[in-house]
Amino acid sequence: MNMNQAERTAESLIREAIRGVTPEPTLESFGGGVKSCKEPSDGGSEERVTLTRNFWLKGIPRDSAEDVVRKVYGNWKEAGHVVDAEPEYGRRVVAANLRSKPDDFLMQVAMGMGGQLSVGVTSPCFWDSEPVPSSLGHPAPRTDAELRERQEAVNGVRAVSSQILDSLVDGRPSSEEPAVLVRPQDGSCYADHQWTYTCEDAPSAERAFHHMVRSLRERGWETREPSAEEAAQAGDAVVALTPDDHEAGAGVTRAHGDAVISVSAAWEREWPPPYMRRDVQEDRSV
């Protein structure tokens, strides 16, 4: 993420927050800006920066202020963001704290004692300039367009992984960062996020796996499970295509008798991803 992307994401989250609020409020900026990244929660460098955008919501009648908090909070929650603190209605000061998925921006909607309303968004720490984060691959991007493509791939693969994680139950995930690889044959971008999900025992892992498959299908994912012969050789597996414009794919495997589900989520502009192309080519040759 760079400064332009942080600003665009913050503005998008603010627009998402006030969608459908009536009467439509006037946004008045206050107290935001760029600050140094002190005590970063990710353990990274303090030489990075964070971006904050705060706005008063003007033009809302005082007796409608609590309804606006409910609407803004509802908009963010419907978008699937993580709730850190729910609003406690009935108090003189009402506030809700959330974190956006998959970008991890901090968000707050608040109503003061006088009925004044505000929304605010703060980005995670990022480099305003070089060095380029190692997760964006090596060598460093040569152009802004290439940098944007790699960042989009990282965001895409995180979004895929988060949906898979949301569909798993009764276990705990590892937390490895995705690595972005640049395919030398065409220079396009391919992001891969590999992690594991550990359950208490093999039956728990099997239940978690099948719950995941059902959940992804309910969300509109297209899933392809292995034949009986493939499953006997490699264990349960599923390849899935998400119902978005980026054609993100994910493969999930659980080895028989193991209590660990291995996840490999992939994102790229072309479909199918490399790990499916051999099968596709064989099908076309038949």
Side-chain angles (χ1 to χ4, degrees):
M1 181 169 60
N2 58 26
M3 184 66 70
N4 288 335
Q5 289 176 317
E7 291 178 341
R8 287 198 301 269
T9 300
E11 292 171 1
S12 176
L13 290 168
I14 294 295
R15 289 195 300 271
E16 179 181 75
I18 64 173
R19 185 184 68 250
V21 171
T22 55
E24 184 175 350
T26 300
L27 297 180
E28 181 180 305
S29 178
F30 76 95
V34 178
K35 299 180 181 179
S36 59
C37 185
K38 297 299 182 183
E39 299 182 0
S41 59
D42 60 6
S45 173
E46 293 185 1
E47 297 179 4
R48 295 171 296 169
V49 296
T50 61
L51 172 75
T52 297
R53 289 286 183 263
N54 295 322
F55 293 92
W56 296 115
L57 303 185
K58 297 292 188 176
I60 302 294
R62 182 170 179 174
D63 58 3
S64 300
E66 186 173 306
D67 291 336
V68 172
V69 174
R70 293 180 186 274
K71 178 61 177 174
V72 171
Y73 174 68
N75 285 343
W76 277 338
K77 194 171 181 181
E78 286 177 11
H81 301 312
V82 178
V83 177
D84 286 339
E86 296 188 13
E88 295 185 30
Y89 301 108
R91 298 176 64 92
R92 299 181 68 184
V93 175
V94 180
N97 297 313
L98 301 95
R99 286 178 290 114
S100 69
K101 292 178 64 176
D103 305 296
D104 207 34
F105 278 60
L106 300 179
M107 304 183 294
Q108 184 185 70
V109 55
M111 180 186 73
M113 290 185 292
Q116 65 270 32
L117 293 164
S118 65
V119 293
V121 173
T122 298
S123 76
C125 300
F126 64 93
W127 292 101
D128 187 21
S129 57
E130 295 290 348
V132 174
S134 61
S135 63
L136 294 182
H138 181 81
R142 293 163 295 180
T143 64
D144 288 344
E146 185 178 349
L147 175 63
R148 287 193 298 270
E149 184 181 57
R150 296 197 200 183
Q151 290 167 329
E152 188 176 3
V154 170
N155 291 338
V157 78
R158 284 176 176 161
V160 174
S161 281
S162 67
Q163 291 185 65
I164 295 172
L165 178 58
D166 288 345
S167 67
L168 290 167
V169 294
D170 300 330
R172 62 186 185 279
S174 62
S175 56
E176 300 169 4
E177 280 299 301
V180 176
L181 308 177
V182 180
R183 299 204 304 275
Q185 63 267 34
D186 58 9
S188 61
C189 202
Y190 168 78
D192 180 58
H193 190 186
Q194 296 185 354
W195 47 280
T196 58
Y197 189 83
T198 304
C199 299
E200 182 178 352
D201 50 34
S204 296
E206 186 170 0
R207 286 193 299 271
F209 174 84
H210 290 295
H211 181 274
M212 176 207 67
V213 174
R214 289 194 302 271
S215 297
L216 294 181
R217 286 175 176 168
E218 290 171 357
R219 295 182 183 195
W221 289 40
E222 297 177 17
T223 60
R224 181 179 70 82
E225 295 187 67
S227 65
E229 181 179 352
E230 291 172 328
Q233 294 177 351
D236 292 335
V238 60
V239 174
L241 172 63
T242 65
D244 58 31
D245 295 336
H246 301 300
E247 295 185 318
V252 182
T253 305
R254 183 192 64 80
H256 284 304
D258 200 343
V260 175
I261 300 174
S262 298
V263 179
S264 177
W267 187 99
E268 63 175 354
R269 292 188 177 275
E270 298 180 3
W271 185 263
Y275 59 81
M276 288 180 60
R277 287 181 181 164
R278 180 178 300 176
D279 293 341
V280 172
Q281 292 171 355
E282 290 175 354
D283 290 342
R284 289 177 177 174
S285 63
V286 175

